[in-house]
Amino acid sequence: MSDDPVVAIAGVTGAVGAEFIATMDRRGFRVGKLKALASARSAGKRLSFRGQDIVIEELTADSFEGVDIALFSAGSGISKKFAPLAVKAGAVVVDNSSAFRMDPNVPLVIPEINAGRIRDHKGIIANPNCAAITALVPLWPIHKQNRIKRLIISTYQAASGAGAAAMEELVESTRAHLRGEVYPPKVMPHTYAFNLFSHNTAIDPETGYNDEETKVIKETRKIFEDEKIAVGVTCVRVPVLRAHSEAITFECEKPISETRVRNILAGARGVRLVDDRTGNYFPMPTDASGQDDVLVGRIRQDLSDPTGHSVSMFVAADQLLKGAALNAVQIAELLPQRAMA
Ligand SMILES: NC(=O)c1ccc[n+]([C@@H]2O[C@H](COP(=O)([O-])OP(=O)(O)OC[C@H]3O[C@@H](n4cnc5c(N)ncnc54)[C@H](OP(=O)(O)O)[C@@H]3O)[C@@H](O)[C@H]2O)c1
């Protein structure tokens, strides 16, 4: 692969697409040529990348001729249709959708955890679910020291996780609410302003788990390469514009103290401790937004487990960055022969 690869972004006009551009720029990711791809609705619009005026093209079967790296964030249907065509044309695909995550031939990568898996790719590398990334970055260094055998996660997921239109719906429905007007939901299934609701993905009628929860469970096992880890998840959409938060309780095989957890996390890659009991200052989505780390705090012994094997904590991360664009660009940086500027 060239040191100055041709990079295509499929879904460039979306919430994640915009962050691909910004993340590549600020990390000095070398780009020979950028192909900006979206739907026919956006074809002909323009964007700016490193001072260059780039015309957005409609994504078609022919879009990937000469492309070295294709970053996909246009939904799983688009990935299923076009990612194999991009691979056929010679590109390596880093896919943000759920289309290929559980495919045994596709590495599912969080660079802080399993960067080595990138070598196994056969053209497509999958970026994990954003709620999974947010939990797993801080859990991995603990799991490595003292295996986590059981995990319970409750999420507080922002509008940005559902894309640009959902963010707009949160803003517009809040404005309408403050004016005393009714705002019929268009993107989300329920009233979003001053409300929260169970995650807006389909529910499995048998298990009662929604798709987002099932993704977190399955992806945790694949990324940790631990089929036995017991995971319970409740995913909830909250009226926060950007950055997901999660309450996490985990039980380890051996006893573990909150001090030990704090010490492990103090040196962990991609993690920043925000754990000020005196000031009652802990991870918040407003602090997590626009930065790269998973913020971790409220680290405390789980008092419901008198055996001392369990610890609880609260985390927040910008899921448009570490949960999507940043993680994907980090993967692209690790592709063979890639070099940073
Ligand atoms: N948001 C997150 O935090 C997050 C995190 C991880 C993964 N993801 C995944 O990333 C993907 C995009 O998410 P998003 O939040 O960025 O959504 P979004 O803001 O709704 O953006 C969707 C993008 O897909 C493009 N698109 C839609 N239909 C298309 C078509 N037929 N052909 C070509 N492009 C098409 C849109 O282009 P137009 O503007 O032209 O319609 C837009 O660029 C999804 O698969 C999502 O699951 C999102």
Side-chain angles (χ1 to χ4, degrees):
M1 189 180 294
S2 146
D3 270 354
D4 291 315
V6 177
V7 177
I9 299 180
V12 76
T13 51
V16 176
E19 295 301 336
F20 272 141
I21 302 265
T23 303
M24 289 195 306
D25 193 25
R26 91 186 142 87
R27 291 175 71 88
F29 189 90
R30 287 172 68 157
V31 176
K33 183 183 168 206
L34 180 69
K35 280 191 90 166
L37 306 169
S39 77
R41 293 179 290 276
S42 303
K45 290 183 186 165
R46 305 178 109 82
L47 60 82
S48 173
F49 178 65
R50 294 186 178 147
Q52 273 186 298
D53 186 39
I54 291 170
V55 180
I56 297 170
E57 298 167 41
E58 181 183 356
L59 171 62
T60 68
D62 301 324
S63 294
F64 300 98
E65 284 312 315
V67 169
D68 297 303
I69 299 173
L71 304 172
F72 271 74
S73 67
S76 78
I78 301 290
S79 291
K80 277 187 191 144
K81 184 170 172 192
F82 291 100
L85 298 177
V87 174
K88 215 170 175 185
V92 177
V93 169
V94 184
D95 182 32
N96 255 288
S97 81
S98 58
F100 303 102
R101 287 181 190 148
M102 295 313 297
D103 183 329
N105 291 315
V106 173
L108 182 62
V109 174
I110 300 174
E112 289 84 351
I113 299 177
N114 60 349
R117 285 279 163 229
I118 292 172
R119 283 194 300 270
D120 304 338
H121 83 78
K122 295 177 177 59
I124 301 175
I125 301 160
N127 211 57
N129 168 275
C130 49
I133 295 179
T134 301
L136 300 186
V137 168
L139 288 173
W140 174 248
I142 300 162
H143 186 70
K144 267 197 311 184
Q145 302 271 332
N146 184 351
R147 181 176 171 269
I148 293 170
K149 59 178 189 178
R150 181 163 180 251
L151 181 60
I152 296 172
I153 303 172
S154 301
T155 73
Y156 306 72
Q157 294 183 230
S160 52
M167 294 172 81
E168 194 182 324
E169 177 146 316
L170 176 56
V171 172
E172 290 307 320
S173 62
T174 303
R175 284 201 179 112
H177 184 95
L178 293 173
R179 285 195 300 262
E181 293 166 7
V182 174
Y183 184 96
K186 298 178 187 118
V187 182
M188 289 304 195
H190 307 289
T191 299
Y192 205 178
F194 302 97
N195 191 23
L196 56 80
F197 44 86
S198 184
H199 194 276
N200 49 301
T201 42
I203 305 258
D204 178 333
E206 270 180 31
T207 63
Y209 277 70
N210 62 45
D211 276 353
E212 185 83 346
E213 293 161 351
T214 306
K215 285 175 193 169
V216 173
I217 294 169
K218 290 185 173 169
E219 292 180 28
T220 298
R221 293 184 178 139
K222 179 167 176 176
I223 294 163
F224 278 14
E225 298 182 20
D226 186 339
E227 280 307 309
K228 292 209 173 110
I229 187 166
V231 187
V233 195
T234 303
C235 288
V236 172
R237 190 72 76 183
V238 296
V240 164
L241 206 51
R242 180 166 172 160
H244 291 349
S245 304
E246 301 180 7
I248 302 175
T249 295
F250 57 89
E251 181 186 356
C252 293
E253 269 182 353
K254 294 175 276 177
I256 188 159
S257 69
E258 62 173 58
T259 308
R260 179 76 187 123
V261 169
R262 203 170 283 114
N263 288 341
I264 292 171
L265 292 178
R269 282 174 60 213
V271 169
R272 180 150 54 89
L273 289 179
V274 180
D275 202 17
D276 174 6
R277 288 181 181 177
T278 315
N280 200 353
Y281 203 110
F282 300 110
M284 288 184 274
T286 46
D287 286 347
S289 291
Q291 59 82 60
D292 292 349
D293 293 326
V294 178
L295 309 184
V296 184
R298 298 227 61 211
I299 300 167
R300 62 207 190 279
Q301 214 72 39
D302 171 18
L303 297 180
S304 75
D305 176 6
T307 69
H309 287 67
S310 304
V311 168
S312 296
M313 58 192 196
F314 193 76
V315 306
D318 188 330
Q319 94 303 326
L320 287 176
L321 292 176
K322 187 55 196 166
L326 169 65
N327 197 75
V329 172
Q330 285 176 309
I331 291 169
E333 286 169 356
L334 294 169
L335 290 172
Q337 295 167 43
R338 282 280 318 136
M340 300 287 289

